[in-house]
Coordinates of all heavy atoms in Angstrom, one line a residue:
P1 N 105.6 109.9 106.8 CA 104.7 110.0 107.9 C 103.9 111.3 107.9 O 102.7 111.3 108.2 CB 105.6 110.0 109.1 CG 106.8 109.2 108.7 CD 107.0 109.6 107.2
V2 N 104.5 112.4 107.5 CA 103.8 113.7 107.6 C 102.7 113.8 106.5 O 101.7 114.5 106.7 CB 104.8 114.9 107.5 CG1 104.0 116.2 107.6 CG2 105.8 114.8 108.7
L3 N 102.9 113.2 105.4 CA 102.0 113.4 104.2 C 101.3 112.1 103.8 O 100.5 112.2 102.9 CB 102.9 113.9 103.0 CG 103.5 115.2 103.2 CD1 104.4 115.5 102.0 CD2 102.5 116.3 103.4
D4 N 101.5 111.0 104.5 CA 100.8 109.8 104.1 C 99.3 109.8 104.3 O 98.5 109.1 103.7 CB 101.4 108.6 104.9 CG 100.9 107.2 104.3 OD1 100.8 107.1 103.1 OD2 100.8 106.3 105.1
W5 N 98.8 110.8 105.1 CA 97.4 110.9 105.3 C 96.7 111.3 104.0 O 95.4 111.1 103.9 CB 97.1 112.0 106.4 CG 97.6 113.4 106.0 CD1 98.8 113.9 106.3 CD2 96.9 114.4 105.3 NE1 98.9 115.2 105.8 CE2 97.7 115.5 105.1 CE3 95.6 114.4 104.7 CZ2 97.4 116.6 104.5 CZ3 95.2 115.6 104.0 CH2 96.1 116.7 103.9
L6 N 97.4 111.9 103.0 CA 96.7 112.2 101.8 C 96.2 110.9 101.1 O 95.1 111.0 100.4 CB 97.7 112.8 100.8 CG 98.2 114.3 101.2 CD1 99.3 114.7 100.3 CD2 97.0 115.2 101.0
N7 N 96.8 109.8 101.3 CA 96.3 108.5 100.8 C 95.0 108.0 101.4 O 94.4 107.1 100.9 CB 97.4 107.4 100.9 CG 98.6 107.7 100.0 OD1 98.5 108.0 98.8 ND2 99.8 107.7 100.6
E8 N 94.6 108.7 102.5 CA 93.3 108.3 103.1 C 92.2 109.2 102.8 O 91.1 109.0 103.3 CB 93.5 108.3 104.7 CG 94.6 107.3 105.1 CD 94.3 105.9 104.7 OE1 93.1 105.4 104.7 OE2 95.3 105.2 104.3
L9 N 92.4 110.1 101.9 CA 91.3 111.0 101.4 C 90.3 110.1 100.6 O 90.7 109.1 100.0 CB 91.8 112.1 100.6 CG 92.7 113.2 101.4 CD1 93.3 114.2 100.4 CD2 91.9 113.8 102.5
P10 N 89.0 110.5 100.6 CA 88.0 109.8 99.8 C 88.5 109.6 98.4 O 88.9 110.6 97.7 CB 86.8 110.6 99.9 CG 87.0 111.4 101.2 CD 88.4 111.7 101.3
G11 N 88.4 108.4 97.8 CA 88.8 108.1 96.5 C 90.3 107.7 96.5 O 90.6 106.6 96.0
L12 N 91.2 108.4 97.1 CA 92.6 108.0 97.1 C 92.8 106.8 98.0 O 93.7 106.1 97.9 CB 93.4 109.2 97.6 CG 93.6 110.4 96.6 CD1 94.4 111.5 97.3 CD2 94.3 109.9 95.4
N13 N 91.8 106.6 99.0 CA 92.0 105.5 99.9 C 91.6 104.1 99.3 O 91.8 103.1 99.9 CB 91.2 105.7 101.2 CG 89.7 105.9 100.9 OD1 89.2 105.8 99.7 ND2 88.9 106.1 101.9
L14 N 91.2 104.2 98.0 CA 90.8 102.9 97.3 C 91.9 102.6 96.2 O 91.7 101.6 95.5 CB 89.4 103.0 96.7 CG 88.3 103.1 97.7 CD1 87.0 103.3 96.9 CD2 88.2 101.9 98.5
V15 N 92.8 103.5 96.0 CA 93.8 103.3 95.0 C 95.2 103.1 95.6 O 95.4 103.2 96.8 CB 93.9 104.5 94.0 CG1 92.5 104.8 93.4 CG2 94.4 105.8 94.7
T16 N 96.2 102.7 94.8 CA 97.5 102.4 95.2 C 98.3 103.7 95.3 O 98.6 104.2 94.2 CB 98.2 101.4 94.3 OG1 97.4 100.2 94.2 CG2 99.6 101.0 94.9
G17 N 98.7 104.1 96.5 CA 99.4 105.4 96.6 C 100.7 105.3 96.0 O 101.2 106.4 95.5
N18 N 101.3 104.1 95.8 CA 102.6 104.1 95.2 C 102.6 104.7 93.8 O 103.6 105.2 93.3 CB 103.1 102.6 95.0 CG 103.0 101.8 96.3 OD1 102.9 102.4 97.4 ND2 103.0 100.5 96.2
R19 N 101.5 104.6 93.1 CA 101.4 105.0 91.7 C 101.3 106.5 91.5 O 101.2 107.0 90.4 CB 100.2 104.3 91.0 CG 100.5 102.8 90.8 CD 99.4 102.0 90.2 NE 99.7 100.6 90.1 CZ 98.8 99.7 89.8 NH1 97.5 100.0 89.7 NH2 99.1 98.4 89.7
L20 N 101.3 107.2 92.7 CA 101.4 108.7 92.6 C 102.8 109.0 92.1 O 103.1 110.2 91.9 CB 101.1 109.3 93.9 CG 99.7 109.4 94.3 CD1 99.5 109.8 95.7 CD2 99.0 110.4 93.4
R21 N 103.7 108.0 91.9 CA 105.0 108.3 91.3 C 104.8 108.9 89.9 O 105.7 109.6 89.4 CB 105.8 107.0 91.2 CG 106.4 106.5 92.5 CD 106.9 105.1 92.4 NE 107.8 104.8 93.5 CZ 107.4 104.5 94.7 NH1 106.1 104.5 95.0 NH2 108.3 104.2 95.6
L22 N 103.7 108.6 89.2 CA 103.4 109.3 87.9 C 103.4 110.8 88.1 O 104.0 111.6 87.3 CB 102.1 108.8 87.4 CG 101.4 109.6 86.3 CD1 102.3 109.7 85.0 CD2 100.0 109.2 86.0
V23 N 102.7 111.2 89.2 CA 102.6 112.7 89.5 C 103.9 113.3 89.8 O 104.3 114.4 89.3 CB 101.6 112.9 90.6 CG1 101.5 114.3 91.0 CG2 100.2 112.4 90.2
V24 N 104.7 112.5 90.6 CA 106.0 113.0 90.9 C 106.9 113.1 89.7 O 107.6 114.1 89.5 CB 106.7 112.0 91.9 CG1 108.1 112.5 92.2 CG2 105.9 112.0 93.2
S25 N 106.8 112.1 88.8 CA 107.6 112.1 87.6 C 107.2 113.3 86.7 O 108.1 114.0 86.2 CB 107.4 110.8 86.8 OG 107.8 109.7 87.5
F26 N 105.9 113.6 86.6 CA 105.5 114.7 85.7 C 105.9 116.0 86.3 O 106.4 116.9 85.6 CB 104.0 114.7 85.5 CG 103.5 115.7 84.5 CD1 103.8 115.5 83.2 CD2 102.8 116.8 84.9 CE1 103.4 116.5 82.2 CE2 102.4 117.7 84.0 CZ 102.7 117.6 82.7
A27 N 105.9 116.2 87.6 CA 106.3 117.4 88.3 C 107.8 117.6 88.0 O 108.2 118.8 87.7 CB 106.0 117.4 89.8
L28 N 108.6 116.6 88.1 CA 110.0 116.7 87.8 C 110.3 117.1 86.3 O 111.2 117.9 86.1 CB 110.7 115.4 88.1 CG 110.9 115.1 89.6 CD1 111.4 113.7 89.7 CD2 111.8 116.1 90.3
C29 N 109.5 116.6 85.4 CA 109.6 117.0 84.0 C 109.3 118.4 83.8 O 110.0 119.1 83.0 CB 108.7 116.1 83.1 SG 109.2 114.3 83.1
V30 N 108.2 118.9 84.4 CA 107.9 120.3 84.3 C 109.0 121.2 84.9 O 109.4 122.2 84.3 CB 106.5 120.6 84.9 CG1 106.2 122.1 84.8 CG2 105.4 119.8 84.3
L31 N 109.5 120.8 86.0 CA 110.6 121.6 86.6 C 111.8 121.6 85.8 O 112.6 122.6 85.7 CB 110.9 121.1 88.0 CG 109.8 121.4 89.1 CD1 110.1 120.6 90.4 CD2 109.7 122.9 89.4
A32 N 112.0 120.5 85.1 CA 113.2 120.4 84.1 C 113.0 121.4 83.0 O 113.9 122.1 82.6 CB 113.3 119.0 83.6
G33 N 111.7 121.5 82.5 CA 111.5 122.5 81.5 C 111.7 123.9 82.0 O 112.3 124.8 81.3
L34 N 111.4 124.2 83.3 CA 111.6 125.5 83.9 C 113.1 125.7 84.0 O 113.6 126.8 83.7 CB 111.0 125.6 85.2 CG 111.2 126.9 86.0 CD1 110.6 128.1 85.3 CD2 110.5 126.8 87.4
G35 N 113.9 124.7 84.4 CA 115.3 124.8 84.5 C 115.9 125.1 83.1 O 116.9 125.9 83.0
A36 N 115.5 124.4 82.1 CA 116.0 124.6 80.7 C 115.7 126.0 80.3 O 116.5 126.7 79.6 CB 115.4 123.6 79.8
E37 N 114.5 126.5 80.6 CA 114.1 127.9 80.3 C 115.1 128.9 80.9 O 115.5 129.9 80.3 CB 112.7 128.2 80.7 CG 112.2 129.6 80.5 CD 112.1 130.0 79.0 OE1 112.1 129.1 78.2 OE2 112.0 131.2 78.7
A38 N 115.5 128.6 82.2 CA 116.5 129.5 82.9 C 117.8 129.5 82.1 O 118.5 130.5 82.0 CB 116.7 129.0 84.3
L39 N 118.2 128.3 81.6 CA 119.5 128.2 80.9 C 119.4 129.0 79.6 O 120.4 129.5 79.1 CB 119.8 126.7 80.6 CG 120.2 125.9 81.8 CD1 120.4 124.4 81.3 CD2 121.5 126.4 82.4
F40 N 118.2 129.0 79.0 CA 118.1 129.7 77.7 C 117.7 131.2 77.8 O 117.5 131.8 76.8 CB 117.1 129.0 76.8 CG 117.4 127.5 76.5 CD1 116.5 126.5 76.7 CD2 118.7 127.2 76.1 CE1 116.8 125.2 76.4 CE2 119.0 125.9 75.8 CZ 118.1 124.9 75.9

């Protein structure tokens, strides 16, 4: 509810917001790299 308004921005309101899961997935992968760097 607090962030769903992002899907109504121009351009984003014509696409499927569900597929922003790609962005979420990539962010998690980058954070995993940062976590691995901390381990090393």
Side-chain angles (χ1 to χ4, degrees):
V2 178
L3 296 174
D4 193 32
W5 62 269
L6 290 170
N7 292 307
E8 299 303 320
L9 293 175
L12 291 176
N13 59 359
L14 294 176
V15 304
T16 304
N18 310 342
R19 292 176 180 169
L20 282 169
R21 282 168 165 77
L22 164 65
V23 174
V24 176
S25 299
F26 187 70
L28 288 171
C29 293
V30 178
L31 288 172
L34 178 60
E37 177 66 15
L39 289 177
F40 298 133

